[in-house]
Structures are given as C-alpha cells and as structure tokens.
C-alpha cells in the first residue's frame, strides 16, 4: 500500500496468502492502484484474483520435476535426450557419462552419430519411427566408448516435451557382460 500511495496512478502487483474462513490458506494476486488524486475515484483501487489452483499446480509440477530428476540422476541406466532436428545430445545423466567415458560438457552437444555404432540410415529410421510411435523399444545396439572400445547396449526411447518442442529420451542399458556370458 505504501508503494502504491507513493506512486499515484502506477499499479503495484503483489502476491498474498490469506486465511480462508475454513482455516485453509488461499493465494491471491493483487494489483493496488492509488487514485486518491483522481476526484472521480478519490480512493485506492484493489483488484484481486484467486491463484490458489495455479500455485498448487506449480508446486505439483516442481515436485514432479524433482522426482523425475532424482530418478534419472540415480538410475544405473544411461539416459540422454537428443534434439530431433540436429541429432545432438541436449542432456545426459551421470550413468551415461560413466558408461561412455565422456564428461557432461563433452557429451552434451555431441552428435549421436559420434557414439552410436550403427549406419546413419538406421539411426535416422529409428528416430523417424520414434516420432511417429512416440515410444519405441529399439533393442540391442552397439555404442562407442570415448577410448574407442565398443559396448553392447539395449535401447528404448520415447518422445518427451523439451523446452519449446519435443526431444527423444533414450534409456541405455549396458548388456556387454551379459552378452559375453551368453557367448561363453
């Protein structure tokens, strides 16, 4: 109110929490405008709208993102998101970084063709199928470690929202040891 009174005709916005008569808390977005100098109004105008549902949705979204990030960061499977247009890695988890021997900075921004040991045509076909089907078990593939060695992996992918569009989210499980045991 003080700010609004000091700046006549300049709306001041604020979020407030108000206790409802049932004891619960409600959130409001308020705009306060001092129109004391206006002879037609000669008062302070307060416009308020309830934003309790929006605040609850924002909190639920933040909690969901934190749970998702926690799962991705703690899983032993490699996870990365790649841009559909540029085929570059947008984000990756520590498990994938360890699996492939790259740092976060090296891996993020790298082209998927640099570590997926498949013909480019096969990779492109899988990306196209993924766009159409939205979820896809790609199966066994080979990935190249930074030192040049090869890993046998199982890959599944899905389309996820990312910033202003969509990206592929790939889950990579290292099956090199299992394949070696099967061959023995």
């Amino acid at each position: 109110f003080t700010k609004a009174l000091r700046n006549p005709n300049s709306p001041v916005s604020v979020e407030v929490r108000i206790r409802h008569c049932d004891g619960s808390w409600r959130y409001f977005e308020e705009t306060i405008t001092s129109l004391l100098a206006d002879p037609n109004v000669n008062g302070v105008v307060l416009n308020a709208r309830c934003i309790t549902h929006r605040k609850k949705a924002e909190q639920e979204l933040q909690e969901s993102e934190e749970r998702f990030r926690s799962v991705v960061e703690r899983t032993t499977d490699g996870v990365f998101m790649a841009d559909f247009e540029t085929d570059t890695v947008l984000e990756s988890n520590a498990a994938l970084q360890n699996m492939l021997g790259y740092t976060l900075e090296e891996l993020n921004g790298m082209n998927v063709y640099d570590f997926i040991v498949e013909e480019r045509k096969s990779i492109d076909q899988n990306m196209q199928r993924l766009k159409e089907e939205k979820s896809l078990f790609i199966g066994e593939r080979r990935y190249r470690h930074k030192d040049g060695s090869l890993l046998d992996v199982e890959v599944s992918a899905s389309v996820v929202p990312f910033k202003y569009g969509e990206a592929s989210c790939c889950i990579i499980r290292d099956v090199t040891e299992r394949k070696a045991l099967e061959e023995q």
Side-chain angles (χ1 to χ4, degrees):
F1 275 101
T2 302
K3 188 175 179 181
L5 291 173
R6 288 185 184 149
N7 299 293
N9 299 319
S10 297
V12 175
S13 295
V14 63
E15 282 187 16
V16 296
R17 187 175 73 137
I18 301 173
R19 187 178 299 275
H20 190 271
C21 63
D22 68 6
S24 65
W25 289 96
R26 305 291 165 90
Y27 293 88
F28 287 84
E29 186 175 73
E30 296 181 348
T31 303
I32 306 163
T33 309
S34 173
L35 298 176
L36 290 167
D38 183 335
N40 294 322
V41 179
N42 192 27
V44 176
V45 177
L46 187 136
N47 292 304
R49 68 182 175 127
C50 184
I51 59 169
T52 305
H53 294 296
R54 184 185 85 196
K55 295 292 273 187
K56 183 178 179 189
E58 288 170 355
Q59 182 178 353
E60 289 172 356
L61 178 61
Q62 181 179 357
E63 290 170 0
S64 175
E65 287 174 353
E66 288 172 8
R67 280 191 306 274
F68 172 76
R69 180 131 335 257
S70 178
V71 167
V72 169
E73 289 174 356
R74 286 166 180 70
T75 186
T76 58
D77 290 338
V79 179
F80 73 91
M81 284 178 266
D83 184 278
F84 277 118
E85 302 303 318
T86 63
D87 297 316
T88 57
V89 176
L90 301 167
E91 288 187 16
S92 60
N93 71 347
L96 184 71
Q97 295 157 29
N98 292 333
M99 196 181 296
L100 298 180
Y102 292 100
T103 65
L104 173 68
E105 293 76 22
E106 291 171 324
L107 198 54
N108 291 357
M110 182 181 272
N111 195 289
V112 296
Y113 303 119
D114 295 334
F115 58 86
I116 300 176
V117 184
E118 297 293 325
E119 289 184 26
R120 192 179 191 113
K121 182 179 178 181
S122 174
I123 296 169
D124 292 343
Q125 287 172 340
N126 282 331
M127 291 293 261
Q128 186 58 42
R129 279 184 52 215
L130 178 58
K131 281 184 190 179
E132 294 165 4
E133 297 177 25
K134 303 297 185 196
S135 181
L136 185 63
F137 179 72
I138 296 170
E140 288 187 10
R141 294 286 182 260
R142 295 193 107 182
Y143 277 29
R144 184 176 292 106
H145 189 276
K146 183 178 180 178
D147 67 11
S149 61
L150 300 179
L151 301 163
D152 292 305
V153 296
E154 280 183 347
V155 181
S156 60
S158 59
V159 175
V160 295
F162 191 86
K163 296 194 178 175
Y164 303 109
E166 293 180 326
S168 64
C169 179
C170 300
I171 312 294
I172 315 304
R173 177 164 292 154
D174 186 346
V175 295
T176 305
E177 288 182 30
R178 186 189 80 198
K179 293 276 292 182
L181 288 172
E182 287 172 358
E183 289 175 11
Q184 287 177 1

